[in-house]
Amino acid sequence: MAALDQKSPNVLLQSLCCRITGKSEADVAHQFQYAVRVIGSNYAPTIERDEFLVSEKIKKELLKQRREADAALFSELHRKLQTQGVLKYRWSILYLLLSLCEDSRKPSSRVCSYGGLFAQALPRDAHSTPFYYARPQSLCLSYPDRSTHNASSGIGSLPNGPAPSPQHLLSGSAPPTAADTSRGSRLAWALQVSGSSSGALPLTSRPPAGSRPTHRQRRDGDGNAEVSEAALVRDILYVFQGIDGKFIKMCPTEECYRIDAKVPLCKSLRDTSHRLAELGWLHDKVRKYADSRSLDRAFGLVGQSFCASLHQELKEYYRLLSVLHAQLQVEDDQGMNVGADCSLTLRRLLVWTYDPKVRLKTLAALVDFCQGRKGGELASAVHAYGKTGDPHMRALVQHILGLVSHPILNFLYRWIYDGELEDTYHEFFVASDPTVKTDRLWHEKYSLRKSMVPSFITMDQARKVLLIGKSINFLHQVCHDRTPPGRVPPACKCADSPRDAAELFTDLEGAFQSKIDAAYFETSKYLLDVLNKNYQLLEHLQAMRRYLLLGQGDFIRHLMDLLKPELVRAATTLYQHNLTGILETAVRATNAQFDSPEILKRLDVRLLEVSPGDTGWDVFSLDYHVDGPIATVFTRECTNRYLRVFNFLWRAKRMEYILTDIWKSQMCNAKLLKSMPGEHGAGPRCQQGAPERGGAFIYRRELARQHGVAWVLECSWDELWNKVQRAQDLDHIIAAHEVFLDTIISRCLLDSNSKLLNQLRAVFDQIIEFQSAQDTLYRSALEELRLRLQYEESKRHREKEGEWGVTAEQEAAENRRVQEFKDTIPKMCSQLRLLTHFYQGLVRDFLRELMTSSDESLQFLSFRLDFNEHYKARDPRLRPSLGATRGRRCSNN
């Protein structure tokens, strides 16, 4: 323990005092206390910490003394010291050696010239330039001698931390590191120390009146004694703390500290006092904001950190005031006059308070700029205010930004590693809505507060941060998977210190971006793997295409054949369980039976809302049930759009089915009706021609249209599948799926362009009317054929029995019936020709609308519909439209 005590900082400091003064330990008690106070008060020289500059000055001193060999030796030793890294504060050691060298050569008569040195180093307009600092290069490196009885003080601002406090030194503990210290205004080097020990006065206590003698008093013309400079100095020190003095008081109307015009005082002292009193006004402004907002819990953690940074700066400011009060107390105890070389004067206060005044001006302006802001918006304001060319101001704002952004970084780490969001005062840029249910977690529960996104975080980074935490919560709450993703750091990761936060946010393209990207890729990849492997997302996507988009051709055709007897009935007579049984039969009879049971159990039948006059074809629909995590992709809105597309394609498929039946009916009935007896088949030939021509036209055009729609769907599906394979997160899949649905809705004419859809529905109606008319014609013709064959068979039977084949009455009745049938044929043929003509007109109008569409896919569909240029040859209006369409497409390319 004895060995350790001998190496403690206080024992070493006391030994240094004994060595310098040549006295015993009992005689250097006063000097030891003063040394402890100097070290603990963060005194530092107001020069730049430039190791190269100090080393060069040392070599120049050696060369002036004609010690070239020593200069070369010093240069070599300094170079070795730099490479070894034994000493952490090399600049401080070199500066101490240089100062000791200079002090040993300077006379004691220059001890009290330090205040003059400050006045020479400071620019003339230091008091009037708000954000100006004296250049470190302009301050001289040589300092006058410092003795036990006489010294002077100044204020400096250094970017690194303060020196160890007296408590650390006296307790023998290690001094705090630079990361644990604050940056503020510090006393320049030393203050005068009297022969007897004296402590600093409390900041709010006043010394007894008349304890400090004045050097002289002048009288004005009325005989009133003029206020002394010593009294003004005492008032100014209290004004610095926001306390009204005897002569300097706060003026409520002007909101500043003023000296009453009736107080007898010369103009120079009055102006200097007013300039110094501005420091008290700035102090009041910063302190009132920090005190009032510190009590506001709704200000949040970011706001409290901002207030803490302001209090930290004010603490450094109070250290300066305590030293000034101590100096004033020493002068009072010694009875020193104001005229003495080392006494406190207004001029010296103006010099020493220049740097704190600039810092307080910066803080006051920052307080005004941050009014009404909180959370990320407050951090953005602090960050924006640091965009200045002044390195000292930038360092101050950067220090405050480190404290302010520390809570934001803690929010961010807990969100991207744990998925936890404890934002009581709504400061973080990720917002949560607790009223949203689990099935809408991905779409509605979490969102970005754009106003709270700090300006030093890009929107792309903010979007990734949102996706990371949202993915973690989706895995936990929806997928019930709490396995941590691959190489994501531990969940308890948090910001180590405000300095770490400041350094991280200043390197947005480096460390911060790499942290966000690593968490984003790992979490998103793990989520997609869970959805694809555990919940078969891609398989369900393909099932939607096969069943709801009619991609499984054999199944759809067989299902339509089985459903035809049921769907031709009225919609009100259908039962869903019957249709479900037919669906299961179709699945077992086609390749659909080889699909996964997980997919087949989701396939079902749905009956739409029934309107008067609807048949089963109008209300039948397939349905695909989705739940669990995959319902995030296949939302209710997406399912409704799939049903709209299915109903359109189902109706189009029905038209193809009808046209196929029409064609088969024409081919079969044409052969049967050729054998119809009577007038050389004139009736049959008449009623055969129109159906064959009209049916051929309709079938050919509609079949081409079916192929065109299938081509459009296949192209859109291929684009979707490629995007899904390349997707990096779930949002990419959802966005690609939405684009796919919007595309097929548009290309199936189901969007807001109702004119094309209405024309297409009119074409469908014409096909149904044609089928109805043709069925009526063929039923009449087949019934006539049956009656004629029955009549001929009756004649042959009676003739075999030796009777007359027919009587006159029977023959007359037969002729009347045949004539009635012949009279109905022209009407039916006219109806078919009219339907054919009307249909072709609708198709021509439909083609013209497609050609003028802005969608190139629909323009191309018009070419596929008229693949043999049948309508183009018969309608000249289609020719320029086609050419214009090609020209328009070429211009777009």
Side-chain angles (χ1 to χ4, degrees):
M1 293 297 295
L4 292 176
D5 292 338
Q6 292 298 324
K7 294 184 179 180
S8 63
N10 56 334
V11 173
L12 294 176
L13 183 60
Q14 190 174 28
S15 300
L16 180 62
C17 293
C18 294
R19 180 68 61 85
I20 293 176
T21 59
K23 300 179 181 179
S24 64
E25 293 183 0
D27 297 333
V28 297
H30 170 67
Q31 287 82 358
F32 172 70
Q33 292 178 2
Y34 171 69
V36 170
R37 189 176 63 189
V38 169
I39 295 177
S41 297
N42 300 326
Y43 301 171
T46 55
I47 64 171
E48 186 178 11
R49 291 177 177 264
D50 191 341
E51 179 183 353
F52 175 76
L53 183 61
V54 177
S55 64
E56 289 297 317
K57 191 169 183 62
I58 292 175
K59 286 190 285 187
K60 287 181 181 179
E61 291 294 334
L62 293 174
L63 292 176
K64 286 180 182 180
Q65 300 174 14
R66 300 183 181 278
R67 298 167 60 185
E68 291 81 0
D70 292 340
L73 179 61
F74 170 79
S75 179
E76 179 65 20
L77 293 175
H78 181 239
R79 185 187 63 80
K80 291 181 178 180
L81 189 63
Q82 286 179 318
T83 56
Q84 293 178 0
V86 177
L87 294 178
K88 186 176 181 181
Y89 303 104
R90 293 191 302 272
W91 177 88
S92 301
I93 300 298
L94 294 176
Y95 186 76
L96 174 63
L97 297 176
L98 177 62
S99 301
L100 293 175
C101 177
E102 292 177 346
D103 289 346
S104 64
R105 301 195 315 272
K106 293 184 179 179
S108 60
S109 61
R110 298 179 60 191
V111 168
C112 297
S113 63
Y114 196 48
L117 179 64
F118 271 100
Q120 294 175 3
L122 200 66
R124 293 180 180 178
D125 57 348
H127 61 277
S128 59
T129 306
F131 305 115
Y132 177 85
Y133 287 83
R135 293 178 178 271
Q137 293 83 353
S138 66
L139 297 177
C140 182
L141 276 175
S142 61
Y143 289 88
D145 294 341
R146 304 167 186 83
S147 65
T148 305
H149 301 286
N150 294 305
S152 59
S153 62
I155 302 301
S157 176
L158 295 177
N160 46 345
S165 63
Q167 291 77 6
H168 287 114
L169 292 173
L170 294 176
S171 62
S173 60
T177 61
D180 299 328
T181 59
S182 60
R183 289 174 288 186
S185 301
R186 289 136 187 163
L187 197 62
W189 190 249
L191 288 173
Q192 177 185 2
V193 179
S194 62
S196 60
S197 175
S198 61
L201 289 176
L203 293 181
T204 57
S205 65
R206 293 177 178 270
S211 62
R212 185 183 184 196
T214 58
H215 70 293
R216 64 175 181 174
Q217 290 188 352
R218 295 180 296 181
R219 296 181 178 272
D220 56 12
D222 298 333
N224 296 327
E226 184 177 297
V227 178
S228 66
E229 185 174 358
L232 290 177
V233 169
R234 190 176 303 279
D235 266 17
I236 284 295
L237 291 183
Y238 288 102
V239 169
F240 284 168
Q241 306 168 58
I243 304 173
D244 287 349
K246 182 178 180 181
F247 306 103
I248 307 176
K249 300 179 182 296
M250 171 62 72
C251 179
T253 57
E254 300 182 14
E255 295 185 355
C256 62
Y257 287 97
R258 290 289 184 187
I259 301 177
D260 192 349
K262 298 180 181 179
V263 175
L265 189 64
C266 66
K267 187 177 186 301
S268 62
L269 292 180
R270 185 183 296 271
D271 292 343
T272 304
S273 299
H274 286 165
R275 286 155 57 186
L276 287 170
E278 183 185 357
L279 192 64
W281 180 85
L282 293 172
H283 163 267
D284 288 352
K285 185 179 184 67
V286 176
R287 189 194 64 186
K288 288 178 181 178
Y289 176 87
D291 291 344
S292 63
R293 300 302 285 174
S294 296
L295 301 176
D296 185 7
R297 295 187 62 184
F299 200 29
L301 296 178
V302 177
Q304 296 301 325
S305 298
F306 181 56
C307 293
S309 66
L310 296 179
H311 282 301
Q312 189 175 357
E313 294 296 326
L314 290 177
K315 181 181 178 182
E316 294 296 322
Y317 174 70
Y318 292 147
R319 288 184 179 180
L320 164 65
L321 297 186
S322 67
V323 173
L324 293 177
H325 273 278
Q327 172 71 4
L328 187 63
Q329 181 66 30
V330 169
E331 294 177 6
D332 288 341
D333 294 343
Q334 294 180 351
M336 187 180 297
N337 292 331
V338 177
D341 292 336
C342 295
S343 63
L344 286 177
T345 63
L346 295 180
R347 182 64 179 172
R348 285 195 175 103
L349 286 179
L350 190 66
V351 173
W352 294 337
T353 59
Y354 167 72
D355 189 39
K357 183 177 180 180
V358 175
R359 295 176 73 85
L360 284 179
K361 278 187 176 181
T362 303
L363 296 178
L366 189 59
V367 163
D368 285 336
F369 191 61
C370 295
Q371 288 286 352
R373 305 173 190 265
K374 60 180 289 188
E377 190 177 7
L378 176 62
S380 298
V382 176
H383 177 259
Y385 208 76
K387 297 178 180 179
T388 174
D390 191 327
H392 300 279
M393 184 190 298
R394 189 168 59 249
L396 172 62
V397 176
Q398 191 67 28
H399 170 66
I400 296 176
L401 181 63
L403 293 172
V404 169
S405 59
H406 187 247
I408 297 179
L409 192 61
N410 282 333
F411 282 137
L412 189 144
Y413 277 157
R414 294 194 65 180
W415 174 250
I416 66 175
Y417 295 136
D418 288 348
E420 297 179 1
L421 186 62
E422 296 181 3
D423 187 13
T424 307
Y425 303 106
H426 309 294
E427 303 173 86
F428 194 42
F429 55 84
V430 175
S432 173
D433 186 358
T435 62
V436 175
K437 296 182 179 179
T438 305
D439 57 339
R440 299 295 299 172
L441 181 144
W442 187 270
H443 297 281
E444 298 177 3
K445 186 167 186 177
Y446 301 106
S447 60
L448 279 180
R449 288 193 192 102
K450 294 186 178 179
S451 62
M452 291 296 172
V453 177
S455 57
F456 44 83
I457 295 180
T458 64
M459 288 305 298
D460 182 64
Q461 290 172 338
R463 188 189 71 86
K464 288 185 177 180
V465 169
L466 172 65
L467 283 175
I468 294 168
K470 190 162 63 171
S471 299
I472 294 175
N473 282 279
F474 186 82
L475 285 168
H476 292 174
Q477 302 180 34
V478 182
C479 300
H480 306 290
D481 186 334
R482 293 189 172 271
T483 304
R487 293 184 296 275
V488 173
C492 59
K493 175 68 178 175
C494 62
D496 296 330
S497 67
R499 181 182 295 272
D500 296 334
E503 292 177 355
L504 191 65
F505 283 134
T506 53
D507 188 17
L508 293 178
E509 301 298 329
F512 181 74
Q513 183 68 41
S514 63
K515 287 178 179 288
I516 297 299
D517 288 343
Y520 167 74
F521 287 120
E522 289 295 332
T523 307
S524 299
K525 181 178 181 298
Y526 183 76
L527 174 59
L528 294 182
D529 289 343
V530 169
L531 290 176
N532 290 329
K533 295 177 181 178
N534 298 350
Y535 297 96
Q536 301 177 352
L537 174 62
L538 298 182
E539 286 77 3
H540 288 297
L541 190 63
Q542 291 178 331
M544 287 284 194
R545 170 180 171 265
R546 288 198 300 270
Y547 297 113
L548 295 188
L549 300 184
L550 311 188
Q552 190 78 22
D554 60 333
F555 166 77
I556 297 299
R557 179 67 187 186
H558 189 62
L559 178 65
M560 194 168 285
D561 290 336
L562 296 177
L563 288 174
K564 182 179 179 181
E566 292 285 334
L567 299 184
V568 294
R569 296 159 50 189
T572 55
T573 63
L574 297 180
Y575 295 99
Q576 187 167 354
H577 62 273
N578 294 337
L579 301 178
T580 303
I582 295 175
L583 174 65
E584 294 175 355
T585 302
V587 169
R588 289 194 297 268
T590 59
N591 288 330
Q593 63 181 314
F594 301 110
D595 276 341
S596 169
E598 176 68 20
I599 292 175
L600 293 178
K601 74 178 183 180
R602 297 176 182 270
L603 191 61
D604 199 2
V605 171
R606 171 186 290 193
L607 293 178
L608 306 180
E609 185 178 353
V610 179
S611 299
D614 282 349
T615 64
W617 292 104
D618 300 317
V619 298
F620 174 82
S621 176
L622 287 180
D623 194 11
Y624 194 84
H625 300 293
V626 289
D627 54 14
I630 62 171
T632 302
V633 178
F634 304 107
T635 60
R636 186 174 302 174
E637 294 79 8
C638 292
T639 304
N640 291 336
R641 284 193 281 180
Y642 270 112
L643 292 179
R644 289 181 61 193
V645 176
F646 172 81
N647 291 330
F648 172 81
L649 296 177
W650 180 257
R651 186 179 176 89
K653 199 71 176 177
R654 180 195 172 195
M655 295 302 108
E656 181 182 357
Y657 191 83
I658 290 174
L659 292 170
T660 304
D661 285 348
I662 290 175
W663 184 263
K664 290 193 299 183
S665 179
Q666 289 176 358
M667 296 299 102
C668 297
N669 291 328
K671 296 179 180 180
L672 292 176
L673 295 177
K674 284 182 180 180
S675 61
M676 180 181 290
E679 299 189 8
H680 308 289
R685 284 196 303 272
C686 178
Q687 51 93 19
Q688 291 167 14
E692 290 179 359
R693 286 196 304 273
F697 290 153
I698 295 175
Y699 178 75
R700 185 168 60 246
R701 303 296 175 264
E702 189 60 23
L703 188 59
R705 192 201 66 76
Q706 288 290 326
H707 293 164
V709 172
W711 173 81
V712 169
L713 293 180
E714 286 302 321
C715 292
S716 301
W717 170 259
D718 186 64
E719 294 176 3
L720 169 65
W721 191 253
N722 291 334
K723 290 179 180 179
V724 168
Q725 295 294 329
R726 297 194 303 267
Q728 294 180 345
D729 56 54
L730 185 56
D731 264 355
H732 289 167
I733 294 180
I734 294 175
H737 189 236
E738 292 289 337
V739 170
F740 168 72
L741 289 178
D742 291 340
T743 302
I744 63 176
I745 286 287
S746 174
R747 293 178 179 178
C748 289
L749 313 178
L750 298 175
D751 55 356
S752 57
N753 190 0
S754 58
K755 187 175 181 180
L756 279 172
L757 182 59
N758 291 336
Q759 289 180 341
L760 187 58
R761 285 175 177 172
V763 173
F764 289 168
D765 292 339
Q766 288 299 308
I767 295 174
I768 295 175
E769 286 189 35
F770 184 87
Q771 182 196 30
S772 177
Q774 178 175 277
D775 289 345
T776 301
L777 174 61
Y778 281 133
R779 280 196 301 270
S780 299
L782 292 176
E783 179 63 22
E784 179 66 20
L785 177 61
R786 186 187 66 80
L787 292 176
R788 291 189 182 187
L789 292 177
Q790 183 180 357
Y791 177 74
E792 294 295 332
E793 181 64 25
S794 176
K795 282 173 57 176
R796 287 195 297 271
H797 180 69
R798 283 194 293 267
E799 287 176 354
K800 288 181 181 180
E801 293 179 353
E803 299 178 358
W804 292 100
V806 291
T807 63
E809 293 80 5
Q810 291 176 345
E811 185 175 5
E814 179 68 15
N815 291 335
R816 285 195 302 271
R817 187 186 57 75
V818 170
Q819 188 60 41
E820 290 176 359
F821 171 72
K822 291 181 179 180
D823 292 340
T824 59
I825 289 178
K827 295 179 181 179
M828 294 182 181
C829 291
S830 299
Q831 184 182 6
L832 290 175
R833 283 193 294 268
L834 182 62
L835 290 173
T836 302
H837 178 75
F838 189 49
Y839 164 79
Q840 292 178 346
L842 290 175
V843 172
R844 285 194 295 268
D845 295 339
F846 184 66
L847 289 175
R848 283 196 296 269
E849 290 295 332
L850 288 177
M851 291 175 184
T852 57
S853 174
S854 58
D855 191 341
E856 291 187 1
S857 298
L858 296 180
Q859 294 176 14
F860 188 73
L861 179 60
S862 66
F863 297 108
R864 296 184 64 88
L865 291 177
D866 195 22
F867 64 94
N868 60 355
E869 299 186 352
H870 171 81
Y871 290 100
K872 178 181 176 182
R874 286 164 175 74
D875 190 352
R877 291 176 297 179
L878 295 175
R879 299 173 188 173
S881 299
L882 289 171
T885 302
R886 293 192 184 98
R888 195 162 50 245
R889 187 170 58 200
C890 293
S891 63
N892 293 334
N893 295 335

